[in-house]
Amino acid sequence: MLKKYFLYLLAIGLVTCSFTPLSGQPTAALAVEKQSTSQTSQAEQLKLLESAIVPTTAQDTVELWAKAVQMRNGALQYALFTQNAKLGVKAPLESFHWVTGASSPWVEQYRIERLQVENEQPHEQVFQVEFDLVTSKGTYGTDQAKVTVVQQGHQWFIQGLGPVSEKSVGIWNTPESINEKSIEDSFTLMKTYDSPMGYRIQLPEKAMSQLKLESAACTNEEGNPPCLHLYFKDTTAKKDVMLATVIRLSKEQEKLPYYLEHPFIKKLGENKLGAYYSLFPSEHQYAGEEESEQGKAWSALLELLQTRMAHFNLMP
């Protein structure tokens, strides 16, 4: 009887010992459940953060996207996409740890232009973003993206994104998707000119070599405002031919009827020094000889200046 009693106590002790260590530890199922709950919480947190980032105007959404491209921040770019636009891009972004673009070239600055397109749908807007790209060697090129944004609720999301042409670099893509050949073909050595009047212009080296730049007062304009004159250096005729003028006006001068009604000036921008306007010749300076070598060179430079001046560069 005593022997049976000890065996009974031993059995109880073994049972107790076998369960005691487990009673103070989470089961495997509980650990999985907690991990799943944590992952769900992080996903919910990320979703709310992404939702808070998306702007309430189309222009601001494109501006934020362009800034994210400049920062090489793929996570921020991704947050601005519609759910449909996110399909297929998450895996490439993850594979590069949410970094886009390249270490060289990089985005120095960008410009945004609203496009007018046919059959544009309600609550939809299309923009073109032009990126200025530079490298440590001073090479320079541009890249263009076409961005379509749509309104969902009170926010604007990116629905479509792509290159403007086959020559686009695609600096907004992951490193493996950038068009490196386009970079090699498009980059041109640029030169910068800073005028005393506070205006900066950047042009390809070849174009700059064909120009004469002269800062002076515009004696033929009211108030004699400071100006930057740009001339084409005609080496054949050995003369300088007018191409364009940049005029700087004070706030008071801008309000004068003379400038308010001026038929040929176009505002470029302003800084603390004043407002800047472009002025181009009303007629071809090689009238009757437009197809001559000099006439074509003058026309090409004029077109380049009209494009570059539209994206004015004002010194700090």
Side-chain angles (χ1 to χ4, degrees):
M1 181 68 180
L2 186 59
K3 185 177 180 180
K4 289 184 178 181
Y5 176 73
F6 279 121
L7 289 174
Y8 175 71
L9 289 178
L10 180 60
I12 293 177
L14 288 174
V15 172
T16 303
C17 290
S18 64
F19 282 96
T20 299
L22 295 177
S23 64
Q25 299 178 6
T27 63
L30 183 59
V32 171
E33 182 181 351
K34 285 187 175 182
Q35 183 180 8
S36 177
T37 302
S38 176
Q39 291 174 345
T40 301
S41 176
Q42 290 176 357
E44 291 172 342
Q45 179 188 30
L46 180 59
K47 186 176 181 180
L48 287 172
L49 287 172
E50 288 184 347
S51 177
I53 288 171
V54 181
T56 55
T57 70
Q59 178 78 27
D60 287 346
T61 292
V62 178
E63 177 77 30
L64 184 57
W65 174 80
K67 184 65 177 177
V69 173
Q70 185 180 40
M71 297 166 58
R72 304 184 63 194
N73 189 329
L76 180 52
Q77 295 175 52
Y78 183 81
L80 300 172
F81 294 160
T82 63
Q83 290 302 314
N84 286 338
K86 287 179 177 178
L87 298 176
V89 300
K90 185 176 182 179
L93 286 170
E94 284 182 330
S95 67
F96 282 91
H97 306 285
W98 299 93
V99 174
T100 59
S103 58
S104 183
W106 64 86
V107 176
E108 183 182 61
Q109 58 185 0
Y110 54 83
R111 293 167 293 278
I112 300 172
E113 178 185 0
R114 171 83 157 85
L115 300 180
Q116 300 298 327
V117 298
E118 294 184 5
N119 303 319
E120 187 175 77
Q121 299 300 313
H123 308 294
E124 177 183 296
Q125 293 185 25
V126 181
F127 294 81
Q128 178 171 307
V129 183
E130 183 176 69
F131 298 99
D132 291 337
L133 308 180
V134 297
T135 72
S136 58
K137 295 182 180 180
T139 49
Y140 180 103
T142 59
D143 195 13
Q144 296 85 29
K146 183 178 179 182
V147 186
T148 303
V149 292
V150 295
Q151 187 176 23
Q152 295 183 352
H154 65 285
Q155 294 173 299
W156 286 82
F157 293 81
I158 295 175
Q159 177 176 265
L161 172 63
V164 171
S165 72
E166 61 182 14
K167 295 183 179 180
S168 294
V169 174
I171 199 66
W172 55 88
N173 289 323
T174 53
E176 67 176 358
S177 301
I178 290 177
N179 188 345
E180 293 185 358
K181 185 178 185 303
S182 182
I183 293 176
E184 295 172 358
D185 293 344
S186 302
F187 271 9
T188 309
L189 186 63
M190 299 292 287
K191 293 195 70 174
T192 301
Y193 175 81
D194 292 338
S195 75
M197 60 183 281
Y199 186 82
R200 171 179 295 159
I201 187 165
Q202 292 177 310
L203 294 171
E205 186 176 43
K206 181 180 178 181
M208 194 70 84
S209 67
Q210 296 176 296
L211 290 176
K212 176 184 176 181
L213 298 101
E214 180 181 85
S215 293
C218 278
T219 55
N220 57 335
E221 302 293 344
E222 187 168 320
N224 300 330
C227 291
L228 171 65
H229 300 294
L230 297 95
Y231 301 91
F232 166 58
K233 294 189 293 188
D234 188 332
T235 55
T236 301
K238 297 183 179 180
K239 63 179 181 178
D240 300 324
V241 183
M242 177 60 71
L243 270 167
T245 297
V246 178
I247 304 174
R248 189 186 75 199
L249 300 178
S250 65
K251 292 183 178 180
E252 292 73 20
Q253 287 174 319
E254 277 192 290
K255 299 175 183 177
L256 294 175
Y258 176 85
Y259 290 108
L260 289 174
E261 300 170 5
H262 201 299
F264 301 118
I265 63 172
K266 181 179 179 181
K267 191 168 185 176
L268 300 172
E270 59 185 66
N271 62 13
K272 62 182 180 181
L273 298 178
Y276 296 81
Y277 289 79
S278 63
L279 176 61
F280 294 97
S282 57
E283 298 179 354
H284 199 295
Q285 299 296 290
Y286 288 84
E289 299 179 355
E290 292 91 344
E291 295 304 312
S292 66
E293 183 178 346
Q294 292 76 23
K296 289 181 179 180
W298 183 90
S299 296
L301 275 175
L302 178 66
E303 183 178 353
L304 176 63
L305 288 173
Q306 288 174 330
T307 301
R308 292 303 304 166
M309 283 187 179
H311 308 308
F312 60 91
N313 289 278
L314 301 183
M315 297 164 59

